[in-house]
Amino acid sequence: MTKQQANWSPYDNNGGSCVAIAGADYCVIAADTRMSTGYSILTREYSKICKLADKSVMASSGFQADVKALQKHLAARHLIYQHQHNKQMSCPAMAQLLSNTLYYKRFFPYYAFNVLGGLDSEGKGCVYTYDAVGSYERVGYSAQGSGSTLIMPFLDNQLKSPSPLLLPAQDAVTPLSELEAVDLVKTVFASATERDIYTGDKLEIVILNADGIRHEYMELRKD
Amino acid sequence: MFRNQYDTDVTTWSPAGRLFQVEYAMEAVKQGSAAIGLRSRAHVVLACVNKANSELSSHQKKIFKVDDHIGLAIAGLTADGRVLSRYMRSECINYSFTYESPLPVGRLVVQLADKAQVCTQRSWKRPYGVGLLVAGLDESGAHLYYNCPSGNYFEYQAFAIGSRSQAAKTYLERRFENFTDSSREDLIKDALIAVRETLQGETLKSSICTIAVVGIGEAFHTLDQETVQQLIDAFEIVAEPEAPAAEPDAAAEQGEGADQGAAADQGVAPMDI
């Protein structure tokens, strides 16, 4: 008598990689634009990045239907916040909201691997990295998604930020300049694209700083 | 005012076929400070008079943003107005979430009216004591609606509610035929003049008046105090209730003459009670 197996899964993995790097007064959030299923490509131009608030940008890889639902949910909650408080949510506040939203579905999770980037209340860059059920941590940089295992060690090598457990507390943000950080992101994606079949096509980069928000694009290998 | 045996609860009809509790709720609207709305083809303007309890307190918020394309002004029990605007915001967010498009204004006011009607047919509830001027934009154009505690709602080209609103209505009745083709600036000017009508001689300044605008390509927002004061000064609207049509044009050209003009007006104003 073998155990009954499900004949379908509510989840799918659409692949892709996301990265975010925090600087002294900027934050870079990037993701590739390839959406796949199994060994097929669904589209080469799908954005995994969503602006949740003036100073909070989220990039999510995983099951894009769940990602879309999560983005809509957070956008609606942000609107309620604005009505009640007459201002935009800060990035740390949005970080907590995202965590709570994910844990709310602890027993039927959003299949979304998120990285939230933005500027904190002091204007310094901040990056928060999550698992699928809302466990999160503020870090100086992070990568999620199918290429994360290729990207993260390289970022560790280039940016190694001090442990958040150290006393006295040391700054997590990278000393790199904004241009250097954007360049690093482009290098990192070009490398990940070489070996990860789910990463490629085009790179979308969002840069948040005191002047506002900026987009950059770069072509990646399409094979 | 009425004081009879049929006004104790809302579920009792009078022999004349009236629900007195609902009518009393509408009286509450007339006690609140004035709120005025006007619409043109592409814009809707809401204006209201801010009344503070004392000089020490801040004035009550009477204009609420419901969504980028809808806002409202209230007169009457502010707390009821706040609760209803929270309901309306929630409805807009839920509709947007499901249909990824803005809630049409006509649908929202019907939902609001039905919500008000419920309170006229339950013995354990009371009618909402607030009148709402709902201003909004949707695919069918610019709209201004008035929702009343009875559960009725009407669409208007221009309307005024609250205390001394009759003065504003009289002014609006004279001018409303021109509103459809008005520019945004002229519409705001008419709103300010209508507000001044309700003040009956009191000087119109930005501290006692709030203006909000929604239009095609313009999300609902309240104008800040400086802008309102500049508009009041530019349109030469101070105390003179019978401002002839020629005067505002002349005043707009000679900005420096504003002080002179104002002084002359105050000397002439007949309505100082």
Side-chain angles (χ1 to χ4, degrees):
Chain A
M1 202 48 206
T2 45
K3 188 173 174 190
Q4 200 181 31
Q5 300 270 340
N7 55 15
W8 71 283
S9 166
Y11 297 114
D12 188 13
N13 191 346
N14 300 120
S17 313
C18 307
V19 161
I21 301 177
D25 60 352
Y26 66 87
C27 188
V28 178
I29 303 101
D32 70 320
T33 62
R34 174 177 286 178
M35 187 198 229
S36 359
T37 178
Y39 289 120
S40 307
I41 293 182
L42 287 171
T43 178
R44 299 190 188 277
E45 293 194 46
Y46 189 82
S47 175
K48 301 191 208 2
I49 302 182
C50 176
K51 178 179 158 184
L52 298 174
D54 268 354
K55 305 210 165 131
S56 302
V57 174
M58 178 174 77
S60 321
S61 76
F63 180 37
Q64 290 301 324
D66 273 357
V67 167
K68 184 63 139 199
L70 179 63
Q71 288 171 352
K72 286 179 79 163
H73 192 101
L74 292 170
R77 287 299 302 271
H78 187 224
L79 201 45
I80 295 171
Y81 182 97
Q82 284 179 81
H83 281 143
Q84 287 178 348
H85 302 268
N86 230 17
K87 62 173 188 166
Q88 296 264 326
M89 270 178 97
S90 67
C91 196
M94 186 58 83
Q96 186 67 59
L97 177 64
L98 175 52
S99 171
N100 293 348
T101 308
L102 291 168
Y103 196 81
Y104 200 74
K105 274 171 62 73
R106 170 69 176 80
F107 300 111
F108 183 12
Y110 288 107
Y111 195 100
F113 299 99
N114 309 294
V115 71
L116 180 72
L119 301 172
D120 66 13
S121 324
E122 293 163 13
K124 290 207 294 223
C126 59
V127 169
Y128 297 89
T129 190
Y130 296 78
D131 71 1
V133 285
S135 164
Y136 81 112
E137 187 189 7
R138 181 171 176 177
V139 288
Y141 59 92
S142 181
Q144 292 280 358
S146 58
S148 63
T149 46
L150 298 166
I151 296 171
M152 206 55 182
F154 187 66
L155 291 180
D156 283 334
N157 177 269
Q158 297 293 308
L159 301 173
K160 187 67 189 168
S161 62
S163 166
L165 303 168
L166 278 175
L167 276 177
Q170 288 186 33
D171 228 359
V173 301
T174 176
L176 254 55
S177 77
E178 189 183 298
L179 260 60
E180 286 172 328
V182 172
D183 216 56
L184 175 60
V185 158
K186 290 177 179 174
T187 309
V188 133
F189 266 90
S191 305
T193 304
E194 291 292 312
R195 293 288 178 174
D196 177 26
I197 59 173
Y198 300 108
T199 302
D201 291 329
K202 198 156 74 168
L203 171 62
E204 182 184 4
I205 311 174
V206 170
I207 304 112
L208 262 173
N209 56 27
D211 300 327
I213 201 166
R214 200 173 94 237
H215 286 253
E216 260 190 61
Y217 295 91
M218 187 183 91
E219 293 297 315
L220 294 171
R221 280 185 68 162
K222 299 179 192 318
D223 61 356
Chain B
M1 194 194 322
F2 295 113
R3 283 281 129 239
N4 51 55
Q5 56 183 191
Y6 305 111
D7 66 356
T8 309
D9 62 61
V10 73
T11 51
T12 306
W13 288 99
S14 82
R18 295 158 72 168
L19 288 170
F20 282 110
Q21 279 297 307
V22 175
E23 295 182 22
Y24 295 167
M26 278 148 74
E27 282 300 310
V29 176
K30 296 181 196 166
Q31 300 303 324
S33 56
I36 292 152
L38 311 76
R39 99 173 134 102
S40 71
R41 187 168 294 120
H43 294 88
V44 192
V45 175
L46 293 174
C48 66
V49 173
N50 304 325
K51 273 284 142 57
N53 281 337
S54 74
E55 275 186 24
L56 299 168
S57 78
S58 63
H59 60 80
Q60 291 202 313
K61 191 168 162 185
K62 284 164 62 75
I63 292 188
F64 297 87
K65 175 171 173 166
V66 166
D67 204 344
D68 282 341
H69 65 299
I70 301 181
L72 62 114
I74 60 169
L77 264 53
T78 318
D80 284 2
R82 201 176 55 238
V83 157
L84 287 175
S85 64
R86 191 161 56 228
Y87 164 76
M88 292 164 78
R89 285 169 177 168
S90 174
E91 290 300 299
C92 283
I93 289 175
N94 289 339
Y95 187 95
S96 277
F97 188 96
T98 309
Y99 299 103
E100 298 241 346
S101 82
L103 176 56
V105 198
R107 304 259 187 103
L108 181 59
V109 295
V110 176
Q111 285 172 255
L112 198 54
D114 287 347
K115 194 171 162 69
Q117 191 280 339
V118 166
C119 299
T120 67
Q121 213 175 7
R122 307 277 185 272
S123 59
W124 61 91
K125 288 182 181 253
R126 62 155 178 85
Y128 288 105
V130 65
L132 304 106
L133 281 173
V134 182
L137 235 63
D138 56 30
E139 282 180 358
S140 53
H143 300 278
L144 174 69
Y145 289 93
Y146 171 54
N147 277 71
C148 92
S150 61
N152 272 333
Y153 69 98
F154 309 92
E155 185 162 10
Y156 286 94
Q157 186 74 43
F159 201 50
I161 55 175
S163 71
R164 295 199 284 233
S165 57
Q166 189 50 53
K169 274 190 272 194
T170 312
Y171 172 77
L172 294 170
E173 274 165 28
R174 284 206 308 267
R175 300 282 307 241
F176 79 95
E177 270 146 352
N178 303 324
F179 287 165
T180 309
D181 297 314
S182 271
S183 70
R184 181 182 177 278
E185 283 59 44
D186 283 340
L187 208 62
I188 297 178
K189 181 172 91 180
D190 279 318
L192 285 166
I193 297 174
V195 169
R196 192 198 56 196
E197 297 295 310
T198 69
L199 294 174
Q200 303 215 320
E202 202 181 325
T203 318
L204 176 66
K205 36 186 201 280
S206 61
S207 54
I208 51 167
C209 158
T210 308
I211 307 270
V213 186
V214 64
I216 294 179
E218 187 180 356
F220 183 90
H221 66 289
T222 309
L223 302 183
D224 64 271
Q225 295 298 79
E226 283 153 38
T227 314
V228 175
Q229 189 58 52
Q230 280 166 14
L231 288 163
I232 293 173
D233 296 335
F235 294 140
E236 248 289 283
I237 311 160
V238 184
E240 176 56 65
E242 273 295 293
E247 211 193 330
D249 294 327
E253 277 161 60
Q254 24 137 352
E256 257 59 79
D259 287 334
Q260 268 183 10
D265 279 349
Q266 279 178 340
V268 169
M271 301 271 273
D272 270 327
I273 305 163

